[in-house]
Amino acid sequence: MTTTSRKPSNSDAEQRSADESRDARRKKWLRRLPLLPALIFTIVVTQLPFLFSLWYSLTDWKIVPPEPRTFTGLNNYIEGYTNEFFLDAVIVSVIMTVSAVLLSLLLGLAVAMLLDREFRGRGILRTLMITPFLIMPVVAGLVWSTQMFNSTFGVLNWIITSLGFDAIPFVERFPLASIVVVLVWQWAPFMMLIMLAGLQGQPLDILEAARVDGATPTQIFRNLTLPLLRPYMELGILLGSIYLIQVFDHIEVITGGGPGSTNVPFFVFQRSIGGGWDFGQASAYAVIVVIASIIIATFALRLLSGLIESEATS
Amino acid sequence: MTTRLQERRQQQQKEHLANKSLGVSRWFSISMAALAWVVAALFFFPVFWMVLNGFKEEIDANTSPKLFFDPTLDRYSEVTTQTQGLLSFSEAFANSFLIVLISTLLVLFLAIPAAYALSIYPVKKWRDVLFFFISTKFLPVVAAILPLWVIAESLGLLNTRLVLVILYTAMNLPLAVWMLRSFFGEVPRELVEASQIDGATLGQQIRNVILPIVAPGIAATALLCVIFAWNEFFLAVQLNPVDGSTVPIWVTTNVSTRGNFLAKLSAASTLATLPVVLAGWVAQKRMIRGLAMGAIK
């Protein structure tokens, strides 16, 4: 395709095909061009730090006590893997994410079903319902811990003591459950929005036909509504897990990461700039977390590819 | 106008008939509506309580819960005029508005062409590219915070607004690309082709043909970006805690270890959440539509 092929024996056809392939390549790049700014930006900002982490994780870089940084190979990984606190954090992360996502989804679906019927004030109710999702996580955590859960000023304990029971120090006794309650309070409204979108997309004529054929509401729900909602549920689970696996703010303001409520992000934070200052070790955890995330993401993306496939057929 | 009313009346009659034919009793409908009211009230209650506490004297807030009290605006004037830490109310709001606005515009500026290249004239491996974007959302921010801190420090970006603009753009970009790609699927390809034959450049195609069709989707996407950027706390507190910091940091400066702060914190929280809550209320229908398109298309 280059200048070397410019011999007099070259036929015109060959020359043309060279031109064409250059043209095709140019077209290909033109096609890619609009994508490149976003792609390059994302790679630089999200992948570059990871390479740094990878390098730090192979050293014994500590701030306290300040020592010269030396290469230690896989030491941090071997230590990290056997650390029981890390394993605790993994378990907390799994419980927190799975329970918050599933509870939000179920609650969101239930509320969406309630709001998907004709009645007065439906718009106002939807407005009230979505508000928790719009609230800043830091504020949500603070409001719940100081004004709902609190033993002296909290509304929940005020109700409990008014009924003649002893006050329950929710956050102290059930740190993980308390955080999950606040997460569900924020994310069930988001799930409700997605489910409402799904319910409003139901073809009314099919529902009508099913009714005329004498299907019971339960049958309609199980055989028509649920299958139609499936892509919406998958979307909800995907978006919910992306954000809930990263929860940090709620933990910071509700329990401050005490025993039983430290998830993996918070654990890594504590080991590094959150007071541990053991950057080498913390980076090793970070790398482990990233690898685990990639494994989880692969599964989740398979779910997502189901979403995209269904588009191809529709 | 009248025809629309008639249509609506017919629709209502139809629904009424449908309900009757289903044998759904009136009492069932009423009790379901009542249940919906109860659930919504429960969900909204913490917000209501927060707003209420913001109008109390500290002594009324820091006692067993009180529904009736002498409302006062003093807490609001306190949190807006007095500065607890290094960050004042007006500074924090100005910073947040600026950071959120610029990063959201940047997100759209980068995501709209990318969505074009993933849906209208898709590149060969568009699916892999899309998955790459989404997969970056799975990377825990915490795992990157240390290198981010080191890089930001060496570039002199610590405690600047710019560092948050860059990171919030990166944080929201994958979601925006993904949602916009679904919306762009709604654009009839013939329209784009026709404008191309007329010699429209990429920018012209996007501005004149695509944007008018996908405007509601773009609004929904932008709103989600605004919500997540406005509410972001972790990156702000780690990389920009002192100067040029944002509203979530300002809220936490109203938590003090000495003395009572509940009423003041409530007033600050109400102010901090108000812009995004109002925006969300106004745009909720649009957001539902946007999410619907994002789910199946």
Side-chain angles (χ1 to χ4, degrees):
Chain A
M1 333 253 140
T2 50
T3 42
T4 49
S5 62
R6 270 196 159 227
K7 285 178 201 162
S9 63
N10 237 1
S11 68
D12 278 357
E14 250 176 72
Q15 178 62 41
R16 209 178 304 135
S17 83
D19 277 351
E20 264 167 22
S21 83
R22 196 177 306 144
D23 204 43
R25 230 179 320 158
R26 210 178 75 91
K27 260 197 184 143
K28 225 185 201 172
W29 276 105
L30 267 182
R31 220 171 231 223
R32 283 178 197 161
L33 199 63
L35 185 65
L36 291 180
L39 197 59
I40 293 168
F41 183 86
T42 306
I43 289 173
V44 170
V45 182
T46 66
Q47 310 298 301
L48 208 61
F50 179 66
L51 293 180
F52 276 67
S53 282
L54 208 57
W55 160 242
Y56 298 156
S57 73
L58 301 174
T59 69
D60 62 353
W61 186 18
K62 280 183 187 134
I63 297 292
V64 189
E67 284 165 5
R69 216 193 302 185
T70 51
F71 184 79
T72 55
L74 293 175
N75 250 355
N76 286 326
Y77 288 91
I78 295 158
E79 266 174 55
Y81 206 63
T82 48
N83 186 314
E84 58 176 313
F85 295 111
F86 178 64
L87 296 181
D88 284 347
V90 171
I91 294 168
V92 168
S93 256
V94 171
I95 296 174
M96 195 183 281
T97 311
V98 171
S99 59
V101 169
L102 289 184
L103 288 174
S104 302
L105 184 72
L106 290 178
L107 210 58
L109 175 62
V111 178
M113 302 280 297
L114 279 178
L115 289 187
D116 191 44
R117 22 178 74 249
E118 286 292 329
F119 63 91
R120 204 174 282 260
R122 192 167 79 136
I124 300 170
L125 287 198
R126 195 184 51 215
T127 305
L128 295 181
M129 269 304 300
I130 61 159
T131 311
F133 174 66
L134 304 169
I135 299 281
M136 202 175 275
V138 174
V139 166
L142 285 172
V143 166
W144 273 87
S145 64
T146 60
Q147 296 168 28
M148 298 291 127
F149 291 140
N150 189 289
S151 307
T152 343
F153 320 128
V155 174
L156 286 178
N157 271 311
W158 178 70
I159 295 170
I160 290 171
T161 47
S162 310
L163 292 173
F165 298 102
D166 288 336
I168 304 168
F170 287 103
V171 173
E172 293 78 7
R173 208 182 297 166
F174 311 107
L176 183 54
S178 301
I179 291 168
V180 169
V181 166
V182 183
L183 293 177
V184 172
W185 179 68
Q186 292 214 270
W187 281 87
F190 181 72
M191 300 292 187
M192 177 205 73
L193 276 187
I194 296 180
M195 294 302 138
L196 268 182
L199 289 173
Q200 287 171 8
Q202 286 187 109
L204 284 173
D205 45 341
I206 296 182
L207 290 187
E208 191 60 41
R211 272 181 208 152
V212 172
D213 287 349
T216 65
T218 346
Q219 281 174 328
I220 292 177
F221 179 73
R222 218 178 9 190
N223 300 325
L224 284 176
T225 308
L226 269 190
L228 280 170
L229 282 183
R230 223 191 109 164
Y232 296 88
M233 289 183 176
E234 286 169 354
L235 177 76
I237 292 173
L238 182 85
L239 290 178
S241 5
I242 285 176
Y243 287 96
L244 286 167
I245 208 165
Q246 308 245 13
V247 165
F248 177 88
D249 309 1
H250 299 83
I251 301 174
E252 166 84 5
V253 296
I254 295 175
T255 67
S261 68
T262 302
N263 67 353
V264 173
F266 206 88
F267 177 84
V268 176
F269 164 75
Q270 283 178 330
R271 292 284 142 141
S272 59
I273 49 180
W277 307 113
D278 188 344
F279 289 173
Q281 180 74 72
S283 298
Y285 286 123
V287 173
I288 295 175
V289 171
V290 168
I291 292 169
S293 312
I294 291 171
I295 296 171
I296 297 170
T298 315
F299 278 105
L301 289 180
R302 196 163 295 170
L303 191 81
L304 184 73
S305 86
L307 282 179
I308 295 177
E309 296 306 337
S310 67
E311 167 203 3
T313 55
S314 69
Chain B
M1 214 41 196
T2 43
T3 47
R4 194 175 287 174
L5 265 174
Q6 277 167 352
E7 262 173 39
R8 204 163 155 196
R9 197 157 299 154
Q10 275 176 356
Q11 177 74 22
Q12 277 173 350
Q13 269 171 354
K14 232 197 263 169
E15 269 163 23
H16 185 68
L17 279 175
N19 280 348
K20 243 188 187 169
S21 69
L22 233 186
V24 175
S25 77
R26 223 173 118 236
W27 287 112
F28 182 74
S29 296
I30 290 175
S31 53
M32 281 295 132
L35 185 61
W37 275 99
V38 171
V39 173
L42 284 177
F43 262 86
F44 190 72
F45 179 77
V47 180
F48 164 76
W49 196 249
M50 170 186 89
V51 175
L52 199 70
N53 272 344
F55 291 106
K56 287 179 184 174
E57 300 286 350
E58 288 297 348
I59 197 159
D60 288 324
N62 290 274
T63 173
S64 70
K66 257 188 200 171
L67 200 53
F68 300 102
F69 57 92
D70 284 333
T72 165
L73 282 172
D74 291 357
R75 300 294 87 67
Y76 282 92
S77 66
E78 266 172 42
V79 294
T80 49
T81 54
Q82 297 171 6
T83 305
Q84 291 300 316
L86 291 158
L87 193 62
S88 73
F89 162 80
S90 50
E91 252 182 298
F93 269 73
N95 289 334
S96 267
F97 272 119
L98 202 68
I99 292 169
V100 169
L101 183 76
I102 296 177
S103 83
T104 304
L105 288 178
L106 257 175
V107 165
L108 294 180
F109 185 72
L110 292 170
I112 288 174
Y116 176 93
L118 291 177
S119 69
I120 293 184
Y121 284 106
V123 295
K124 230 185 197 159
K125 300 209 160 177
W126 64 270
R127 194 162 302 186
D128 294 338
V129 176
L130 191 62
F131 281 178
F132 168 73
F133 274 116
I134 292 291
S135 74
T136 64
K137 286 301 299 177
F138 280 90
L139 297 182
V141 188
V142 163
I145 192 68
L146 180 61
L148 283 177
W149 195 90
V150 173
I151 296 168
E153 208 212 2
S154 65
L155 294 177
L157 288 176
L158 274 189
N159 289 314
T160 61
R161 295 181 208 114
L162 182 61
V163 73
L164 291 186
V165 169
I166 295 171
L167 291 175
Y168 291 176
T169 306
M171 170 179 93
N172 282 326
L173 191 55
L175 183 74
V177 168
W178 189 48
M179 282 183 74
L180 288 179
R181 191 202 71 92
S182 344
F183 298 132
F184 279 27
E186 300 271 300
V187 179
R189 195 137 157 207
E190 304 81 59
L191 277 182
V192 184
E193 271 164 9
S195 82
Q196 242 177 353
I197 290 167
D198 292 347
T201 62
L202 177 69
Q204 285 167 336
Q205 286 172 41
I206 289 180
R207 227 171 315 135
N208 301 333
V209 182
I210 300 173
L211 285 195
I213 300 177
V214 295
I218 290 180
T221 311
L223 180 71
L224 274 181
C225 294
V226 167
I227 294 175
F228 288 126
W230 180 269
N231 291 346
E232 205 285 332
F233 173 72
F234 180 71
L235 290 170
V237 82
Q238 303 309 337
L239 300 175
N240 191 354
V242 193
D243 212 19
S245 201
T246 54
V247 170
I249 313 293
W250 172 75
V251 171
T252 58
T253 62
N254 290 293
V255 178
S256 66
T257 43
R258 282 174 292 131
N260 294 330
F261 59 84
L262 267 192
K264 233 169 66 186
L265 176 65
S266 300
S269 300
T270 308
L271 289 174
T273 52
L274 205 58
V276 163
V277 168
L278 287 181
W281 282 358
V282 171
Q284 50 176 314
K285 272 198 174 156
R286 202 158 264 201
M287 221 154 75
I288 294 179
R289 260 190 66 198
L291 289 168
M293 284 160 103
I296 33 153
K297 277 284 176 174

